Amino acid sequence: MSALLAFGLAAIAFVPLDDRPVTLAMPVMLGRIAGVAVDTPPRALLGRFLQPGQPDAVMAWLNREAARRRPDAYVVSTDMLAYGGLVASRVPNATYADAVSRLRELAHLRMRAPRSWIAAYGTIMRLAPTGTPPGTPYFAPYPIWSYLQQYANLHDPPLPDEAAHAAQLRASIGAATFDAYLATRARNLAVDRLLVSMTAAGTIDRLVLGQDDAGPIGLHVAEVALLRREASGLPERATVEPGADELGAALVAHALAHRAGWQPRIAVRYSTPNGAAYQDPIEYAPVSTAIEALIGVCGGVTDDADPQIVLYVRVPDTSPAQDDAFVAAMGEDIAAGRSVALADLSYLVSYPQQATFARRILASGLAARLDAYASWNTNANTAGTALAESIATLAGRRLGTYDDLAHRTLTFVRFLDDYAFHDIVREDLNATLVAEGIADHTLLTPEVASALAQRDRALLWYYADRILPQLDPGYHLAGISTGLPWSRTFETSVDVAIAPNL
């Protein structure tokens, strides 16, 4: 056990993007796998969905951690510090002056912790504001947010054949809301440029700016190009790439590898010959671009010749013969002593494809031999979290603090969440709402959300009892807690306890 842990001191102080499971619980669980404490601000300070967090209180928490517990690494969401979280970053509430005054506190943190590794991650604003049901008192309520999304996905400036549609959309949006949206984009771009300059000045050791949900065309293209030019003088210290939700987990994995004095060597294998060129419709580059960048964000280096970790990436429309070869190759790498992580992207086209493959590897026993599994959200989220889990596992083994039970628990949670919930339970919940005459599932009333959460729990418990014996036959389910953290069906929270059979 390290000296820091022996004296109860935090190894990593972590400020999440928001309070969702992938952004808050996942990085904390990575620390548990490696046997390294990952401390977070009190959850009440982080806000919830449309309710922003409390940036000033979060910054005060960071300063207290620096003075009292002396972390050797900080991983900080600049969206939480500047605006109050990801959703809050998409609305015009916080001013640029507000954001600057909060982010400049990172310089004080640097003075308090001159030897600590400080990593920061921010997002380049996505094209659509947060979607909410009709009548919700929020910026750009339905249908205005959908008009903004359509406009922002046009070329910038609109092409001649887009001009009439663009004008119609602007009229439907209204001048005040349209100008506020553009001002919010401009504020966020200015903040992101400030972060690059703070990295150049040495306040931040590692900066990642992730492009939140946006394809290859739209208002973000010029912003990404500008930020890349300004970050080009800081190779390996400041990068701009696709992704958002996975960045906290990726940088925590980097901190764990850094703590172990280790740079992971990682190879990538795709399920089809042209798999690297597959394009996620809500990311601006092929999957290989995001994956190659994430290897660096996680602290690794690409090494196809002598890898310690092999990331297997299953893309949509993999044929049965290609699946057979893919499974065989994973088995060979595991037998050779390599860590194997699986990122299944087939859900981008077909949930049944994803579910069929998950059932196959669970039944065959291959799933139990993986060091990481992920198969949900964007390709960057899926690949980034799979890489992060495998790196946390190997970092813990190198440090001598690896927690096998924590590792088994996280992998079980990923199959229960990514496979059982998204492939089966979520469809059931949405069908239940439709049968009750509720068409919009983006923000449910407290009464509806409470009843649906009970159904969610019952169904997940049912599938948990069936998945665990296949994944870990020597363990049983000791307890499970689930929920709909943002009162919608887009995600679930899953907290499980498993224990060895006596």
Side-chain angles (χ1 to χ4, degrees):
M1 179 175 291
S2 71
L4 280 174
L5 288 177
F7 287 98
L9 302 179
I12 302 172
F14 175 64
V15 175
L17 183 60
D18 49 42
D19 71 334
R20 286 172 297 153
V22 69
T23 52
L24 174 58
M26 166 72 73
V28 172
M29 293 179 77
L30 295 177
R32 290 176 184 162
I33 291 172
V36 176
V38 175
D39 278 5
T40 64
R43 190 160 188 161
L45 302 184
L46 302 178
R48 181 176 184 266
F49 198 19
L50 304 183
Q51 178 64 41
Q54 302 174 44
D56 298 319
V58 170
M59 193 68 234
W61 174 84
L62 271 176
N63 280 313
R64 287 195 301 273
E65 289 294 290
R68 184 170 61 92
R69 291 171 63 84
R70 303 189 304 279
D72 59 356
Y74 295 83
V75 176
V76 179
S77 163
T78 58
D79 289 300
M80 179 57 72
L81 285 190
Y83 316 114
L86 180 63
V87 172
S89 75
R90 301 171 184 159
V91 299
N93 291 349
T95 66
Y96 176 70
D98 291 334
V100 169
S101 67
R102 293 162 178 165
L103 291 172
R104 290 206 187 280
E105 283 295 312
L106 289 174
H108 295 158
L109 182 65
R110 166 57 72 199
M111 288 189 291
R112 285 177 174 268
R115 298 180 183 177
S116 298
W117 186 73
I118 298 178
Y121 61 106
T123 61
I124 303 167
M125 183 173 155
R126 79 174 191 178
L127 298 180
T130 301
T132 56
T136 305
Y138 192 65
F139 176 73
Y142 183 85
I144 302 300
W145 67 261
S146 65
Y147 300 149
L148 279 169
Q149 180 180 29
Q150 293 175 59
Y151 183 91
N153 274 282
L154 300 175
H155 289 84
D156 180 28
L159 299 177
D161 62 350
E162 296 172 334
H165 185 44
Q168 182 183 33
L169 287 170
R170 288 186 64 164
S172 299
I173 294 164
T177 301
F178 185 78
D179 290 345
Y181 171 79
L182 293 183
T184 302
R185 296 201 70 88
R187 177 203 66 191
N188 289 18
L189 178 60
V191 166
D192 290 341
R193 296 179 72 186
L194 171 67
L195 292 168
V196 174
S197 68
M198 291 174 69
T199 305
T203 299
I204 298 168
D205 293 305
R206 181 67 167 95
L207 172 68
V208 186
L209 297 174
Q211 173 60 67
D212 193 14
D213 299 349
I217 297 169
L219 293 179
H220 64 295
V221 173
E223 298 168 356
V224 169
L226 173 60
L227 289 168
R228 281 189 161 164
R229 286 196 301 271
E230 296 194 351
S232 63
L234 301 168
E236 299 183 0
R237 289 193 58 220
T239 55
V240 181
E241 56 206 54
D245 291 352
E246 78 288 348
L247 295 178
L251 285 171
V252 165
H254 191 155
L256 294 170
H258 184 267
R259 184 176 176 81
W262 168 56
Q263 186 176 42
R265 302 190 308 271
I266 301 169
V268 184
R269 309 276 191 257
Y270 293 92
S271 60
T272 67
N274 61 346
Y278 184 80
Q279 179 81 44
D280 184 332
I282 59 171
E283 289 187 357
Y284 68 84
V287 297
S288 60
T289 299
I291 291 170
E292 289 166 11
L294 281 163
I295 289 172
V297 176
C298 288
V301 61
T302 300
D303 187 340
D304 288 325
D306 185 26
Q308 296 157 316
I309 297 170
V310 184
L311 175 66
Y312 279 82
V313 181
R314 184 170 182 263
V315 296
D317 300 320
T318 299
S319 72
Q322 289 167 336
D323 264 341
D324 291 343
F326 193 62
V327 167
M330 281 191 280
E332 290 170 4
D333 270 321
I334 292 169
R338 301 184 184 95
S339 174
V340 171
L342 170 60
D344 187 350
L345 306 182
S346 59
Y347 63 89
L348 292 169
V349 169
S350 169
Y351 288 115
Q353 281 187 30
Q354 175 195 0
T356 297
F357 194 74
R359 285 193 288 268
R360 172 178 180 172
I361 62 174
L362 282 166
S364 70
L366 176 62
R369 301 165 66 203
L370 298 173
D371 269 343
Y373 171 83
S375 62
W376 167 242
N377 217 321
T378 64
N379 84 78
N381 189 321
T382 299
T385 53
L387 280 171
E389 184 181 358
S390 59
I391 289 171
T393 299
L394 267 63
R397 289 170 181 160
R398 285 174 168 265
L399 289 166
T401 53
Y402 167 69
D403 188 325
D404 178 70
L405 182 59
H407 187 198
R408 292 175 185 274
T409 300
L410 179 55
T411 301
F412 176 43
V413 166
R414 295 313 299 266
F415 274 97
L416 193 55
D417 190 336
D418 295 16
Y419 157 55
F421 176 76
H422 287 290
D423 290 346
I424 306 168
V425 176
R426 186 180 176 197
E427 182 178 0
D428 178 279
L429 299 183
N430 285 331
T432 299
L433 292 172
V434 169
E436 295 173 358
I438 303 170
D440 193 316
H441 309 160
T442 55
L443 181 59
L444 306 173
T445 65
E447 296 77 16
V448 171
S450 177
L452 204 66
Q454 292 301 313
R455 186 173 183 85
D456 177 52
R457 183 177 185 275
L459 290 170
L460 284 175
W461 192 299
Y462 173 85
Y463 287 105
D465 273 337
R466 280 145 187 80
I467 291 172
L468 185 59
Q470 294 180 298
L471 192 61
D472 274 313
Y475 287 74
H476 65 274
L477 186 62
I480 183 170
S481 174
T482 70
L484 302 176
W486 279 9
S487 297
R488 60 183 188 176
T489 60
F490 189 77
E491 70 269 295
T492 189
S493 60
V494 182
D495 186 9
V496 299
I498 62 174
N501 295 332
L502 299 177

mmCIF file with all atom_site columns, all heavy atoms in Angstrom, residues 1-12 31 34-38 69 259 399 401:
data_model
loop_
_atom_site.group_PDB
_atom_site.id
_atom_site.type_symbol
_atom_site.label_atom_id
_atom_site.label_alt_id
_atom_site.label_comp_id
_atom_site.label_asym_id
_atom_site.label_entity_id
_atom_site.label_seq_id
_atom_site.pdbx_PDB_ins_code
_atom_site.Cartn_x
_atom_site.Cartn_y
_atom_site.Cartn_z
_atom_site.occupancy
_atom_site.B_iso_or_equiv
_atom_site.pdbx_formal_charge
_atom_site.auth_seq_id
_atom_site.auth_comp_id
_atom_site.auth_asym_id
_atom_site.auth_atom_id
_atom_site.pdbx_PDB_model_num
ATOM 1   N N   . MET A 1 1   ? 0.853   -1.196 0.000   1.00 0.00 ? 1   MET A N   1
ATOM 2   C CA  . MET A 1 1   ? 0.000   0.000  0.000   1.00 0.00 ? 1   MET A CA  1
ATOM 3   C C   . MET A 1 1   ? 0.882   1.237  0.000   1.00 0.00 ? 1   MET A C   1
ATOM 4   O O   . MET A 1 1   ? 1.877   1.307  0.691   1.00 0.00 ? 1   MET A O   1
ATOM 5   C CB  . MET A 1 1   ? -0.922  0.010  1.226   1.00 0.00 ? 1   MET A CB  1
ATOM 6   C CG  . MET A 1 1   ? -1.825  1.229  1.309   1.00 0.00 ? 1   MET A CG  1
ATOM 7   S SD  . MET A 1 1   ? -2.996  1.146  2.693   1.00 0.00 ? 1   MET A SD  1
ATOM 8   C CE  . MET A 1 1   ? -4.060  -0.166 2.159   1.00 0.00 ? 1   MET A CE  1
ATOM 9   N N   . SER A 1 2   ? 0.507   2.267  -0.811  1.00 0.00 ? 2   SER A N   1
ATOM 10  C CA  . SER A 1 2   ? 1.314   3.471  -0.895  1.00 0.00 ? 2   SER A CA  1
ATOM 11  C C   . SER A 1 2   ? 1.230   4.271  0.386   1.00 0.00 ? 2   SER A C   1
ATOM 12  O O   . SER A 1 2   ? 0.304   4.132  1.179   1.00 0.00 ? 2   SER A O   1
ATOM 13  C CB  . SER A 1 2   ? 0.826   4.345  -2.064  1.00 0.00 ? 2   SER A CB  1
ATOM 14  O OG  . SER A 1 2   ? -0.414  4.915  -1.753  1.00 0.00 ? 2   SER A OG  1
ATOM 15  N N   . ALA A 1 3   ? 2.229   5.153  0.569   1.00 0.00 ? 3   ALA A N   1
ATOM 16  C CA  . ALA A 1 3   ? 2.242   5.990  1.769   1.00 0.00 ? 3   ALA A CA  1
ATOM 17  C C   . ALA A 1 3   ? 1.024   6.880  1.834   1.00 0.00 ? 3   ALA A C   1
ATOM 18  O O   . ALA A 1 3   ? 0.442   7.104  2.904   1.00 0.00 ? 3   ALA A O   1
ATOM 19  C CB  . ALA A 1 3   ? 3.519   6.820  1.796   1.00 0.00 ? 3   ALA A CB  1
ATOM 20  N N   . LEU A 1 4   ? 0.614   7.417  0.677   1.00 0.00 ? 4   LEU A N   1
ATOM 21  C CA  . LEU A 1 4   ? -0.559  8.303  0.683   1.00 0.00 ? 4   LEU A CA  1
ATOM 22  C C   . LEU A 1 4   ? -1.787  7.575  1.201   1.00 0.00 ? 4   LEU A C   1
ATOM 23  O O   . LEU A 1 4   ? -2.539  8.080  2.037   1.00 0.00 ? 4   LEU A O   1
ATOM 24  C CB  . LEU A 1 4   ? -0.822  8.838  -0.730  1.00 0.00 ? 4   LEU A CB  1
ATOM 25  C CG  . LEU A 1 4   ? 0.059   10.010 -1.183  1.00 0.00 ? 4   LEU A CG  1
ATOM 26  C CD1 . LEU A 1 4   ? -0.218  10.325 -2.641  1.00 0.00 ? 4   LEU A CD1 1
ATOM 27  C CD2 . LEU A 1 4   ? -0.184  11.237 -0.318  1.00 0.00 ? 4   LEU A CD2 1
ATOM 28  N N   . LEU A 1 5   ? -1.994  6.335  0.715   1.00 0.00 ? 5   LEU A N   1
ATOM 29  C CA  . LEU A 1 5   ? -3.170  5.596  1.152   1.00 0.00 ? 5   LEU A CA  1
ATOM 30  C C   . LEU A 1 5   ? -3.032  5.148  2.597   1.00 0.00 ? 5   LEU A C   1
ATOM 31  O O   . LEU A 1 5   ? -3.998  5.113  3.348   1.00 0.00 ? 5   LEU A O   1
ATOM 32  C CB  . LEU A 1 5   ? -3.374  4.381  0.242   1.00 0.00 ? 5   LEU A CB  1
ATOM 33  C CG  . LEU A 1 5   ? -3.879  4.703  -1.172  1.00 0.00 ? 5   LEU A CG  1
ATOM 34  C CD1 . LEU A 1 5   ? -3.965  3.428  -1.987  1.00 0.00 ? 5   LEU A CD1 1
ATOM 35  C CD2 . LEU A 1 5   ? -5.211  5.403  -1.138  1.00 0.00 ? 5   LEU A CD2 1
ATOM 36  N N   . ALA A 1 6   ? -1.821  4.817  2.991   1.00 0.00 ? 6   ALA A N   1
ATOM 37  C CA  . ALA A 1 6   ? -1.619  4.355  4.349   1.00 0.00 ? 6   ALA A CA  1
ATOM 38  C C   . ALA A 1 6   ? -1.995  5.410  5.371   1.00 0.00 ? 6   ALA A C   1
ATOM 39  O O   . ALA A 1 6   ? -2.494  5.116  6.450   1.00 0.00 ? 6   ALA A O   1
ATOM 40  C CB  . ALA A 1 6   ? -0.154  3.947  4.535   1.00 0.00 ? 6   ALA A CB  1
ATOM 41  N N   . PHE A 1 7   ? -1.778  6.672  5.017   1.00 0.00 ? 7   PHE A N   1
ATOM 42  C CA  . PHE A 1 7   ? -2.126  7.752  5.933   1.00 0.00 ? 7   PHE A CA  1
ATOM 43  C C   . PHE A 1 7   ? -3.507  8.338  5.640   1.00 0.00 ? 7   PHE A C   1
ATOM 44  O O   . PHE A 1 7   ? -3.874  9.383  6.158   1.00 0.00 ? 7   PHE A O   1
ATOM 45  C CB  . PHE A 1 7   ? -1.063  8.860  5.869   1.00 0.00 ? 7   PHE A CB  1
ATOM 46  C CG  . PHE A 1 7   ? 0.225   8.475  6.534   1.00 0.00 ? 7   PHE A CG  1
ATOM 47  C CD1 . PHE A 1 7   ? 1.292   7.996  5.786   1.00 0.00 ? 7   PHE A CD1 1
ATOM 48  C CD2 . PHE A 1 7   ? 0.360   8.542  7.910   1.00 0.00 ? 7   PHE A CD2 1
ATOM 49  C CE1 . PHE A 1 7   ? 2.480   7.619  6.397   1.00 0.00 ? 7   PHE A CE1 1
ATOM 50  C CE2 . PHE A 1 7   ? 1.542   8.177  8.530   1.00 0.00 ? 7   PHE A CE2 1
ATOM 51  C CZ  . PHE A 1 7   ? 2.611   7.713  7.774   1.00 0.00 ? 7   PHE A CZ  1
ATOM 52  N N   . GLY A 1 8   ? -4.265  7.676  4.779   1.00 0.00 ? 8   GLY A N   1
ATOM 53  C CA  . GLY A 1 8   ? -5.624  8.116  4.501   1.00 0.00 ? 8   GLY A CA  1
ATOM 54  C C   . GLY A 1 8   ? -5.699  9.379  3.667   1.00 0.00 ? 8   GLY A C   1
ATOM 55  O O   . GLY A 1 8   ? -6.682  10.107 3.724   1.00 0.00 ? 8   GLY A O   1
ATOM 56  N N   . LEU A 1 9   ? -4.645  9.658  2.881   1.00 0.00 ? 9   LEU A N   1
ATOM 57  C CA  . LEU A 1 9   ? -4.642  10.863 2.068   1.00 0.00 ? 9   LEU A CA  1
ATOM 58  C C   . LEU A 1 9   ? -5.139  10.530 0.667   1.00 0.00 ? 9   LEU A C   1
ATOM 59  O O   . LEU A 1 9   ? -4.879  9.454  0.132   1.00 0.00 ? 9   LEU A O   1
ATOM 60  C CB  . LEU A 1 9   ? -3.233  11.457 2.000   1.00 0.00 ? 9   LEU A CB  1
ATOM 61  C CG  . LEU A 1 9   ? -2.618  11.818 3.354   1.00 0.00 ? 9   LEU A CG  1
ATOM 62  C CD1 . LEU A 1 9   ? -1.222  12.372 3.155   1.00 0.00 ? 9   LEU A CD1 1
ATOM 63  C CD2 . LEU A 1 9   ? -3.488  12.818 4.088   1.00 0.00 ? 9   LEU A CD2 1
ATOM 64  N N   . ALA A 1 10  ? -5.823  11.491 0.033   1.00 0.00 ? 10  ALA A N   1
ATOM 65  C CA  . ALA A 1 10  ? -6.375  11.250 -1.288  1.00 0.00 ? 10  ALA A CA  1
ATOM 66  C C   . ALA A 1 10  ? -5.276  11.217 -2.331  1.00 0.00 ? 10  ALA A C   1
ATOM 67  O O   . ALA A 1 10  ? -4.364  12.038 -2.322  1.00 0.00 ? 10  ALA A O   1
ATOM 68  C CB  . ALA A 1 10  ? -7.385  12.342 -1.636  1.00 0.00 ? 10  ALA A CB  1
ATOM 69  N N   . ALA A 1 11  ? -5.307  10.246 -3.220  1.00 0.00 ? 11  ALA A N   1
ATOM 70  C CA  . ALA A 1 11  ? -4.353  10.196 -4.319  1.00 0.00 ? 11  ALA A CA  1
ATOM 71  C C   . ALA A 1 11  ? -4.824  11.063 -5.479  1.00 0.00 ? 11  ALA A C   1
ATOM 72  O O   . ALA A 1 11  ? -4.022  11.661 -6.172  1.00 0.00 ? 11  ALA A O   1
ATOM 73  C CB  . ALA A 1 11  ? -4.152  8.762  -4.775  1.00 0.00 ? 11  ALA A CB  1
ATOM 74  N N   . ILE A 1 12  ? -6.129  11.105 -5.723  1.00 0.00 ? 12  ILE A N   1
ATOM 75  C CA  . ILE A 1 12  ? -6.683  11.871 -6.834  1.00 0.00 ? 12  ILE A CA  1
ATOM 76  C C   . ILE A 1 12  ? -7.890  12.657 -6.334  1.00 0.00 ? 12  ILE A C   1
ATOM 77  O O   . ILE A 1 12  ? -8.817  12.082 -5.757  1.00 0.00 ? 12  ILE A O   1
ATOM 78  C CB  . ILE A 1 12  ? -7.118  10.953 -7.994  1.00 0.00 ? 12  ILE A CB  1
ATOM 79  C CG1 . ILE A 1 12  ? -5.933  10.111 -8.496  1.00 0.00 ? 12  ILE A CG1 1
ATOM 80  C CG2 . ILE A 1 12  ? -7.723  11.762 -9.129  1.00 0.00 ? 12  ILE A CG2 1
ATOM 81  C CD1 . ILE A 1 12  ? -6.312  9.048  -9.500  1.00 0.00 ? 12  ILE A CD1 1
ATOM 82  N N   . GLY A 1 31  ? -10.739 4.059  -9.579  1.00 0.00 ? 31  GLY A N   1
ATOM 83  C CA  . GLY A 1 31  ? -9.810  4.186  -8.467  1.00 0.00 ? 31  GLY A CA  1
ATOM 84  C C   . GLY A 1 31  ? -9.880  2.989  -7.541  1.00 0.00 ? 31  GLY A C   1
ATOM 85  O O   . GLY A 1 31  ? -8.844  2.488  -7.070  1.00 0.00 ? 31  GLY A O   1
ATOM 86  N N   . ALA A 1 34  ? -7.922  0.054  -8.856  1.00 0.00 ? 34  ALA A N   1
ATOM 87  C CA  . ALA A 1 34  ? -6.478  0.226  -8.694  1.00 0.00 ? 34  ALA A CA  1
ATOM 88  C C   . ALA A 1 34  ? -6.062  0.343  -7.235  1.00 0.00 ? 34  ALA A C   1
ATOM 89  O O   . ALA A 1 34  ? -4.866  0.377  -6.938  1.00 0.00 ? 34  ALA A O   1
ATOM 90  C CB  . ALA A 1 34  ? -6.018  1.464  -9.461  1.00 0.00 ? 34  ALA A CB  1
ATOM 91  N N   . GLY A 1 35  ? -7.019  0.412  -6.319  1.00 0.00 ? 35  GLY A N   1
ATOM 92  C CA  . GLY A 1 35  ? -6.704  0.573  -4.910  1.00 0.00 ? 35  GLY A CA  1
ATOM 93  C C   . GLY A 1 35  ? -6.218  1.963  -4.569  1.00 0.00 ? 35  GLY A C   1
ATOM 94  O O   . GLY A 1 35  ? -5.450  2.150  -3.621  1.00 0.00 ? 35  GLY A O   1
ATOM 95  N N   . VAL A 1 36  ? -6.673  2.939  -5.350  1.00 0.00 ? 36  VAL A N   1
ATOM 96  C CA  . VAL A 1 36  ? -6.255  4.331  -5.169  1.00 0.00 ? 36  VAL A CA  1
ATOM 97  C C   . VAL A 1 36  ? -7.495  5.176  -4.911  1.00 0.00 ? 36  VAL A C   1
ATOM 98  O O   . VAL A 1 36  ? -8.473  5.109  -5.663  1.00 0.00 ? 36  VAL A O   1
ATOM 99  C CB  . VAL A 1 36  ? -5.519  4.850  -6.422  1.00 0.00 ? 36  VAL A CB  1
ATOM 100 C CG1 . VAL A 1 36  ? -5.177  6.324  -6.279  1.00 0.00 ? 36  VAL A CG1 1
ATOM 101 C CG2 . VAL A 1 36  ? -4.245  4.029  -6.658  1.00 0.00 ? 36  VAL A CG2 1
ATOM 102 N N   . ALA A 1 37  ? -7.462  5.977  -3.856  1.00 0.00 ? 37  ALA A N   1
ATOM 103 C CA  . ALA A 1 37  ? -8.626  6.786  -3.506  1.00 0.00 ? 37  ALA A CA  1
ATOM 104 C C   . ALA A 1 37  ? -8.871  7.874  -4.547  1.00 0.00 ? 37  ALA A C   1
ATOM 105 O O   . ALA A 1 37  ? -7.953  8.581  -4.946  1.00 0.00 ? 37  ALA A O   1
ATOM 106 C CB  . ALA A 1 37  ? -8.430  7.424  -2.132  1.00 0.00 ? 37  ALA A CB  1
ATOM 107 N N   . VAL A 1 38  ? -10.112 8.001  -4.984  1.00 0.00 ? 38  VAL A N   1
ATOM 108 C CA  . VAL A 1 38  ? -10.532 9.087  -5.866  1.00 0.00 ? 38  VAL A CA  1
ATOM 109 C C   . VAL A 1 38  ? -11.613 9.858  -5.115  1.00 0.00 ? 38  VAL A C   1
ATOM 110 O O   . VAL A 1 38  ? -12.732 9.368  -4.940  1.00 0.00 ? 38  VAL A O   1
ATOM 111 C CB  . VAL A 1 38  ? -11.070 8.555  -7.208  1.00 0.00 ? 38  VAL A CB  1
ATOM 112 C CG1 . VAL A 1 38  ? -11.624 9.695  -8.057  1.00 0.00 ? 38  VAL A CG1 1
ATOM 113 C CG2 . VAL A 1 38  ? -9.957  7.820  -7.972  1.00 0.00 ? 38  VAL A CG2 1
ATOM 114 N N   . ARG A 1 69  ? -5.615  17.389 2.435   1.00 0.00 ? 69  ARG A N   1
ATOM 115 C CA  . ARG A 1 69  ? -5.360  15.973 2.103   1.00 0.00 ? 69  ARG A CA  1
ATOM 116 C C   . ARG A 1 69  ? -4.228  15.799 1.084   1.00 0.00 ? 69  ARG A C   1
ATOM 117 O O   . ARG A 1 69  ? -3.828  14.689 0.791   1.00 0.00 ? 69  ARG A O   1
ATOM 118 C CB  . ARG A 1 69  ? -6.646  15.330 1.598   1.00 0.00 ? 69  ARG A CB  1
ATOM 119 C CG  . ARG A 1 69  ? -7.685  15.191 2.717   1.00 0.00 ? 69  ARG A CG  1
ATOM 120 C CD  . ARG A 1 69  ? -9.047  14.744 2.195   1.00 0.00 ? 69  ARG A CD  1
ATOM 121 N NE  . ARG A 1 69  ? -9.042  13.426 1.585   1.00 0.00 ? 69  ARG A NE  1
ATOM 122 C CZ  . ARG A 1 69  ? -9.144  12.282 2.260   1.00 0.00 ? 69  ARG A CZ  1
ATOM 123 N NH1 . ARG A 1 69  ? -9.232  12.294 3.574   1.00 0.00 ? 69  ARG A NH1 1
ATOM 124 N NH2 . ARG A 1 69  ? -9.159  11.127 1.631   1.00 0.00 ? 69  ARG A NH2 1
ATOM 125 N N   . ARG A 1 259 ? 0.794   7.425  -11.698 1.00 0.00 ? 259 ARG A N   1
ATOM 126 C CA  . ARG A 1 259 ? 1.145   7.055  -10.326 1.00 0.00 ? 259 ARG A CA  1
ATOM 127 C C   . ARG A 1 259 ? 1.963   5.764  -10.297 1.00 0.00 ? 259 ARG A C   1
ATOM 128 O O   . ARG A 1 259 ? 2.854   5.587  -9.454  1.00 0.00 ? 259 ARG A O   1
ATOM 129 C CB  . ARG A 1 259 ? -0.135  6.893  -9.513  1.00 0.00 ? 259 ARG A CB  1
ATOM 130 C CG  . ARG A 1 259 ? 0.069   6.607  -8.014  1.00 0.00 ? 259 ARG A CG  1
ATOM 131 C CD  . ARG A 1 259 ? -1.287  6.580  -7.336  1.00 0.00 ? 259 ARG A CD  1
ATOM 132 N NE  . ARG A 1 259 ? -1.175  6.231  -5.932  1.00 0.00 ? 259 ARG A NE  1
ATOM 133 C CZ  . ARG A 1 259 ? -0.842  7.079  -4.958  1.00 0.00 ? 259 ARG A CZ  1
ATOM 134 N NH1 . ARG A 1 259 ? -0.558  8.330  -5.266  1.00 0.00 ? 259 ARG A NH1 1
ATOM 135 N NH2 . ARG A 1 259 ? -0.774  6.679  -3.709  1.00 0.00 ? 259 ARG A NH2 1
ATOM 136 N N   . LEU A 1 399 ? 0.963   -1.442 -8.988  1.00 0.00 ? 399 LEU A N   1
ATOM 137 C CA  . LEU A 1 399 ? 1.123   -0.782 -7.693  1.00 0.00 ? 399 LEU A CA  1
ATOM 138 C C   . LEU A 1 399 ? 1.042   -1.753 -6.523  1.00 0.00 ? 399 LEU A C   1
ATOM 139 O O   . LEU A 1 399 ? 1.396   -1.406 -5.393  1.00 0.00 ? 399 LEU A O   1
ATOM 140 C CB  . LEU A 1 399 ? 0.038   0.288  -7.525  1.00 0.00 ? 399 LEU A CB  1
ATOM 141 C CG  . LEU A 1 399 ? 0.171   1.557  -8.391  1.00 0.00 ? 399 LEU A CG  1
ATOM 142 C CD1 . LEU A 1 399 ? -1.129  2.344  -8.369  1.00 0.00 ? 399 LEU A CD1 1
ATOM 143 C CD2 . LEU A 1 399 ? 1.330   2.420  -7.910  1.00 0.00 ? 399 LEU A CD2 1
ATOM 144 N N   . THR A 1 401 ? -1.848  -2.823 -5.446  1.00 0.00 ? 401 THR A N   1
ATOM 145 C CA  . THR A 1 401 ? -3.058  -2.439 -4.713  1.00 0.00 ? 401 THR A CA  1
ATOM 146 C C   . THR A 1 401 ? -4.332  -2.843 -5.455  1.00 0.00 ? 401 THR A C   1
ATOM 147 O O   . THR A 1 401 ? -5.423  -2.372 -5.132  1.00 0.00 ? 401 THR A O   1
ATOM 148 C CB  . THR A 1 401 ? -3.072  -0.915 -4.479  1.00 0.00 ? 401 THR A CB  1
ATOM 149 O OG1 . THR A 1 401 ? -2.894  -0.239 -5.733  1.00 0.00 ? 401 THR A OG1 1
ATOM 150 C CG2 . THR A 1 401 ? -1.968  -0.494 -3.521  1.00 0.00 ? 401 THR A CG2 1
#
